[in-house]
Amino acid sequence: DAGVTQSPTHLIKTRGQQVTLRCSPKSGHDTVSWYQQALGQGPQFIFQYYEEEERQRGNFPDRFSGHQFPNYSSELNVNALLLGDSALYLCASSSPSPLNTEAFFGQGTRLTVV
Amino acid sequence: DQQVKQNSPSLSVQEGRISILNCDYTNSMFDYFLWYKKYPAEGPTFLISISSIKDKNEDGRFTVFLNKSAKHLSLHIVPSQPGDSAVYFCAASAYGGATNKLIFGTGTLLAVQP
């Protein structure tokens, strides 16, 4: 089981550009959540996708958008990048089972905006 | 508004002794709590969780205690090992366990001295 995989691992973009980050959930998981972790902070919830729909959204501007594909993989898109978007972006997958006790995280994508 | 707080940015303990990491929350709707460990350049790794219907959950060297009236939880690691040195995050969710969005604290850096 490959667990949650994210690509790329590192990325450098210029202010104003657009970026797409990718996530493949753990086998058997159909729910994908995205988090942003700034330096020295805990992860902050961006949004969650289930059945190809955005189910929940955190306090992030519309520049942050996402997509989930039929195979449950997901993309996070950020438009008009700002310097403040530099962070570690984490993807987490989970299942809707009532027995579900944890969300599994990928290794993250380190985005640097210059 | 920081709904989950980890007031100790760092903690240093001797190998073999007990490590106690603390977490406070403000939202009374939280009903599920998780602890994650994070090494540099890796995603968070799940350690242990607890539902609000319990006040203690144990898994090997890790025990989590929940005091609902005080809105406080703690993670005990006994005995502490040098490999436990990492950043520990407390996370909470409401209505849906680990599937729902997680609200994280800012983390505590644990250093276990040989």
Side-chain angles (χ1 to χ4, degrees):
Chain A
D1 183 2
V4 180
T5 58
Q6 292 185 243
S7 62
T9 55
H10 295 84
L11 202 52
I12 299 176
K13 288 287 190 178
T14 302
R15 194 170 39 179
Q17 285 188 315
Q18 179 264 344
V19 68
T20 297
L21 311 181
R22 295 175 176 83
C23 172
S24 292
K26 180 178 170 64
S27 177
H29 285 184
D30 56 9
T31 302
V32 174
S33 303
W34 287 92
Y35 291 81
Q36 179 196 67
Q37 185 180 11
L39 201 61
Q41 300 296 316
Q44 283 202 306
F45 178 79
I46 302 175
F47 44 53
Q48 183 182 80
Y49 277 83
Y50 172 68
E51 292 187 340
E52 302 180 50
E53 297 283 336
E54 183 182 289
R55 186 164 68 171
Q56 296 183 76
R57 189 178 183 91
N59 189 25
F60 279 80
D62 292 344
R63 297 186 298 109
F64 289 78
S65 63
H67 188 78
Q68 186 178 35
F69 299 93
N71 66 354
Y72 308 124
S73 66
S74 177
E75 288 182 348
L76 164 65
N77 301 292
V78 187
N79 293 323
L81 284 166
L82 304 174
L83 296 179
D85 294 331
S86 296
L88 179 68
Y89 288 85
L90 295 161
C91 169
S93 75
S94 56
S95 73
S97 165
L99 300 178
N100 181 43
T101 57
E102 60 177 295
F104 289 83
F105 282 83
Q107 83 283 5
T109 294
R110 172 70 62 185
L111 172 66
T112 302
V113 182
V114 297
Chain B
D1 178 28
Q2 191 71 24
Q3 298 185 68
V4 177
K5 301 177 185 178
Q6 294 177 256
N7 292 318
S8 298
S10 63
L11 175 67
S12 181
V13 299
Q14 289 295 121
E15 181 178 5
R17 307 294 291 269
I18 184 172
S19 295
I20 300 177
L21 297 102
N22 294 303
C23 178
D24 297 293
Y25 61 96
T26 58
N27 189 339
S28 58
M29 305 308 287
F30 288 148
D31 58 4
Y32 196 76
F33 304 89
L34 307 89
W35 283 94
Y36 283 85
K37 176 172 72 174
K38 188 178 183 304
Y39 294 116
E42 293 185 12
T45 301
F46 172 77
L47 279 176
I48 192 169
S49 62
I50 188 167
S51 164
S52 61
I53 62 173
K54 296 184 175 182
D55 54 17
K56 176 182 175 181
N57 189 24
E58 195 171 354
D59 184 1
R61 296 186 297 115
F62 302 92
T63 303
V64 56
F65 295 92
L66 175 61
N67 183 333
K68 290 186 290 293
S69 60
K71 293 190 176 65
H72 176 84
L73 63 156
S74 61
L75 174 68
H76 293 210
I77 306 174
V78 183
S80 300
Q81 300 173 353
D84 295 330
S85 298
V87 178
Y88 288 77
F89 289 100
C90 166
S93 77
Y95 310 123
T99 296
N100 208 352
K101 72 176 183 181
L102 301 177
I103 307 299
F104 282 84
T106 53
T108 296
L109 174 62
L110 173 65
V112 180
Q113 309 297 334

